[in-house]
Amino acid sequence: MGAAVNAARDEIEGLLGARQKALAREGLEAELRAPPLDVTLPGRRPDAAGRRHPVSAALDDLVEILARMGYEVAEGPEVELDYYNFEALNMPPDHPARDMQDTFYVATEGHGPTAPTVLRTHTSPVQIRSMLGRRPPLRICSPGKVYRRDDDPTHSPMFHQIEVLCVDRDVTLGDLKGTLAEFVRAFFGEGFRIRLRPSYFPFVEPGAEVDVTCTFCLGKGCRTCKGSGFVEVLGAGLVHPRVLRNVGYDPEEVSGFAFGCGIDRLAMLRSGVDDLRHFFEGDLRFLEQM
Ligand code: PHE
């Protein structure tokens, strides 16, 4: 019985093998008879190569300028503890300054830390994180995304900021002004000047809003700058003693300055774009002009 089954298997395998070989030969012959592949056709050129997005370009330039001035990059999370975003920066739970940045809260019930959590409204919490991790002297800059409940031609619910913090012995308002002047000159070019106006941010004292020579009229006065020759670009000040104490520094021993500015706003001013939302819509007709 076994011998008969083996003989049958050999016969079937032999027939299958022969048929497979025949099919392969026919396939090859059909390919050889078909019109040949024309390898001399020119290749298709890829569409225009991409390049950096105007906001990324501004961000890279800012970091490079600050790196030359001795600042290192520090990073922090976009989903941030309320404590770092507000409280440690001298904005307790019912502080009115929170309203201006009114905020996307993140529900944390049931998972992980139960501490209140927000999408960070500014890059200033990185000041706290950096200071908690080390002792002065400290010079950091921190670019990244921030989130607020805003949506109009000059505000988007997500935008970019860069935070700059310097803490050391004997840091003064003069150091802040000098740094800002150089920062603005390096980014916009010679002839761009700064102007400080007293202002209030809970985490600095004194605080200032900083204006730059209007990029549209170069200071002559136009509609964008409402005739003043200056446009507002950033917030700045000397680090509040209470903030220094919150991270365990002694305000009698060290002092510091900080400033924070909107990267998108700087990019808009530098390239004369009047609607922030263009940056985030990904419309090639816009991006190709940048
Ligand atoms: N964090 C402030 C804002 O987003 C800007 C700022 C930073 C002001 C540092 C002073 C010092 O409006």
Side-chain angles (χ1 to χ4, degrees):
M1 191 60 187
V5 170
N6 280 339
R9 190 200 57 204
D10 289 348
E11 193 181 339
I12 292 169
E13 278 179 358
L15 288 169
L16 275 175
R19 187 69 191 128
Q20 252 163 6
K21 263 194 214 128
L23 284 172
R25 195 178 327 107
E26 275 169 35
L28 182 62
E29 272 162 14
E31 224 173 274
L32 290 171
R33 275 195 308 273
L37 179 69
D38 184 357
V39 293
T40 67
L41 267 181
R44 253 183 247 133
R45 206 170 267 288
D47 288 340
R51 68 199 111 137
R52 286 185 306 173
H53 187 279
V55 174
S56 303
L59 191 157
D60 290 349
D61 290 354
L62 293 169
V63 168
E64 199 188 306
I65 289 165
L66 288 161
R68 280 205 299 271
M69 295 165 93
Y71 289 79
E72 61 187 281
V73 174
E75 281 182 299
E78 288 168 31
V79 179
E80 181 59 285
L81 292 173
D82 182 287
Y83 178 76
Y84 290 145
N85 193 80
F86 290 126
E87 217 161 322
L89 290 164
N90 203 20
M91 279 183 268
D94 38 21
H95 197 289
R98 287 184 177 221
D99 291 349
M100 279 198 308
Q101 311 195 346
D102 207 5
T103 303
F104 298 106
Y105 283 86
V106 179
T108 47
E109 236 176 304
H111 344 248
T114 48
T117 305
V118 298
L119 295 188
R120 66 179 180 186
T121 60
H122 51 182
T123 43
S124 300
V126 187
Q127 289 188 28
I128 303 295
R129 288 180 173 274
S130 306
M131 288 192 285
L132 280 175
R134 51 205 273 194
R135 308 297 309 167
L138 183 115
R139 279 187 207 175
I140 56 114
C141 65
S142 185
K145 290 184 168 63
V146 302
Y147 302 84
R148 292 187 196 175
R149 269 188 44 199
D150 282 332
D151 202 5
D152 66 48
T154 54
H155 295 91
S156 126
M158 182 285 300
F159 59 104
H160 300 82
Q161 284 192 334
I162 187 163
E163 192 80 11
V164 178
L165 171 72
C166 166
V167 185
D168 203 343
R169 286 177 189 280
D170 303 319
V171 174
T172 68
L173 203 57
D175 297 312
L176 171 60
K177 281 185 80 172
T179 305
L180 284 170
E182 171 56 19
F183 176 76
V184 161
R185 192 201 59 77
F187 184 76
F188 287 109
E190 297 300 336
F192 282 84
R193 303 188 46 226
I194 55 164
R195 180 174 83 171
L196 271 66
R197 281 177 293 111
S199 182
Y200 176 71
F201 299 95
F203 36 94
V204 289
E205 177 60 36
E209 249 154 67
V210 181
D211 302 335
V212 173
T213 307
C214 175
T215 49
F216 291 90
C217 63
L218 300 178
K220 285 192 219 64
C222 67
R223 246 181 52 208
T224 305
C225 61
K226 301 195 182 77
S228 70
F230 283 95
V231 287
E232 185 197 322
V233 294
L234 57 94
L238 294 187
V239 182
H240 197 292
R242 209 172 284 154
V243 172
L244 293 174
R245 259 184 247 117
N246 284 345
V247 296
Y249 292 2
D250 180 356
E252 301 294 328
E253 241 175 68
V254 293
S255 54
F257 66 71
F259 58 94
C261 58
I263 297 174
D264 322 81
R265 179 148 174 75
L266 293 182
M268 280 172 81
L269 287 170
R270 188 163 72 167
S271 47
V273 171
D274 59 1
D275 190 331
L276 175 65
R277 291 171 297 193
H278 287 319
F279 281 147
F280 305 127
E281 279 166 359
D283 185 335
L284 278 178
R285 289 170 303 178
F286 167 77
L287 292 171
E288 274 166 359
Q289 293 174 51
M290 285 288 98

